[in-house]
Amino acid sequence: MELVRRKRREPADDVISRLCEWPDADDEVARRSMMLLFAGHETTVAQIGLGAALLLADHDRWRALADDPGLVDGAVEEVLRAAPAGATTGVPRYARTAFELGGAAVKAGDLVPLDTDAANHDPATFERPGTFDATRRGPGHLSFGHGARYCIGAPLARIELRTAFSQLIQKFPDMRLAVPVERLRPRTGQLTGGLVELPVTW
């Protein structure tokens, strides 16, 4: 709210100043700004860390991308599909009607976290789901949702991830994890998940 008030007084060439040009109340501008920060930045930052950890967990995987930049697009899709289990907290939805699923009763209004990690590792859909394969073809992952709830920011997220990984791999082809992958700690208590830190060396 303080930032919105400052931008109203001293507009600049930035997104929040542009939002302040609309006749919305300060709290609405603040809400939209927070959503942009969360959806357009925080999620991608978490995914870059998770993806780098996944790629660096096997140095041959990292080197293959350095040797063949044409694999980066496929690697990004595989990073989105194969993020480490437990690194994300699922997609929160609320049941509109009562139903039963797998023997569990769900009441209308209940919070139902959708586990996209489980869906993206379903062996009925993905051949060898536990194996990272930058050349994987076939059904797409559900990391951005599906249908009417498909993430509107998916194209931007893909551009950000492709840019980050192609540049990172090109500039640091010999990058390695500085700790065993088992010592990487997931960030808990946040919807975006991610890692607490990612120590590397090169």
Side-chain angles (χ1 to χ4, degrees):
M1 290 292 289
E2 181 181 336
L3 180 59
V4 169
R5 286 191 289 269
R6 179 155 48 89
K7 293 297 182 179
R8 285 203 190 277
R9 290 191 311 269
E10 304 166 17
D13 185 19
D14 59 65
V15 173
I16 297 176
S17 294
R18 297 288 168 86
L19 289 173
C20 288
E21 293 173 5
W22 292 85
D24 294 324
D26 285 2
D27 62 338
E28 180 61 25
V29 174
R31 264 196 300 276
R32 289 183 188 187
S33 300
M34 287 173 55
M35 181 55 74
L36 282 171
L37 181 62
F38 171 77
H41 175 72
E42 177 67 20
T43 53
T44 309
V45 167
Q47 198 64 45
I48 289 170
L50 290 169
L54 189 59
L55 294 172
L56 290 166
D58 179 344
H59 191 67
D60 290 341
R61 190 180 296 160
W62 187 265
R63 285 295 324 174
L65 294 173
D67 294 341
D68 184 359
L71 292 174
V72 170
D73 284 0
V76 164
E77 294 306 312
E78 194 67 344
V79 160
L80 289 164
R81 182 196 71 81
T88 57
T89 56
V91 179
R93 294 288 182 257
Y94 292 91
R96 295 177 74 181
T97 61
F99 62 94
E100 187 174 307
L101 180 65
V106 178
K107 300 187 295 287
D110 279 357
L111 173 64
V112 182
L114 306 179
D115 190 348
T116 54
D117 182 54
N120 287 337
H121 288 81
D122 183 351
T125 303
F126 300 100
E127 185 179 346
R128 297 176 296 112
T131 302
F132 183 94
D133 182 1
T135 64
R136 186 181 297 275
R137 298 290 178 264
H141 56 77
L142 295 175
S143 299
F144 291 119
H146 181 72
R149 294 288 190 166
Y150 190 76
C151 176
I152 193 171
L156 176 60
R158 283 186 167 105
I159 290 170
E160 290 177 296
L161 292 171
R162 286 173 189 150
T163 302
F165 289 126
S166 62
Q167 295 297 309
L168 195 60
I169 292 164
Q170 178 184 339
K171 291 184 181 191
F172 301 100
D174 295 318
M175 184 180 285
R176 296 177 183 274
L177 287 175
V179 298
V181 69
E182 299 80 25
R183 286 185 44 198
L184 297 176
R185 293 177 296 139
R187 204 168 50 159
T188 58
Q190 297 186 10
L191 183 62
T192 54
L195 298 170
V196 173
E197 61 182 2
L198 182 63
V200 296
T201 187
W202 61 88

